[in-house]
Amino acid sequence: MLSYYCPECKFPLFEAENKVFCPNCEREVKIEKKEEKIVEKEVKEELKISEKVSSLDNKLESAISKVCDLILSAKSAEEVKALSESLDRLVGILEKVKKH
Ligand SMILES: [Zn+2]
């Protein structure tokens, strides 16, 4: 006995010779539940990835705003230059992350 039920009569399905059939309807039943589960898993994993990306996004954005603050409070032109370079890099990374 399988853990699936006939879509027509809700009778528990049986498997024999690689075929799934409903003893009540006396016919073969095509189940696609296994594939559905895989798709569900893939969707969940995609969501996880996008969650990670968005938190990376947030981190980069807060890093960028920190660098901006540092530029504002920089005391020398060299400091401003160095900070602008890191700002440039951070913005570049953020753009790459957002494109994904
Ligand atoms: Zn049935």
Side-chain angles (χ1 to χ4, degrees):
M1 203 174 95
L2 297 170
S3 53
Y4 301 130
Y5 296 88
C6 175
E8 298 295 322
C9 66
K10 310 293 173 203
F11 201 86
L13 297 173
F14 285 76
E15 193 175 13
E17 292 162 6
N18 293 324
K19 282 179 183 173
V20 177
F21 68 95
C22 171
N24 194 37
C25 302
E26 293 183 326
R27 66 182 183 91
E28 195 187 333
V29 179
K30 296 229 188 304
I31 49 162
E32 282 160 32
K33 288 204 168 173
K34 277 180 191 167
E35 279 174 29
E36 269 172 35
K37 272 186 186 165
I38 292 168
V39 171
E40 217 174 86
K41 206 184 159 203
E42 275 172 10
V43 170
K44 273 184 191 162
E45 261 154 35
E46 257 172 47
L47 280 175
K48 267 189 206 164
I49 290 166
S50 69
E51 267 170 33
K52 269 185 201 161
V53 169
S54 76
S55 74
L56 184 62
D57 246 58
N58 293 338
K59 277 180 192 157
L60 281 166
E61 272 166 11
S62 63
I64 287 166
S65 75
K66 267 184 196 163
V67 174
C68 286
D69 286 346
L70 288 172
I71 289 173
L72 290 174
S73 60
K75 289 182 183 81
S76 70
E78 276 132 52
E79 219 177 308
V80 172
K81 200 187 160 210
L83 287 166
S84 314
E85 274 165 16
S86 15
L87 183 66
D88 234 39
R89 249 173 252 159
L90 286 169
V91 170
I93 296 166
L94 183 65
E95 273 170 7
K96 266 187 210 163
V97 169
K98 280 195 169 173
K99 267 178 203 163
H100 274 284

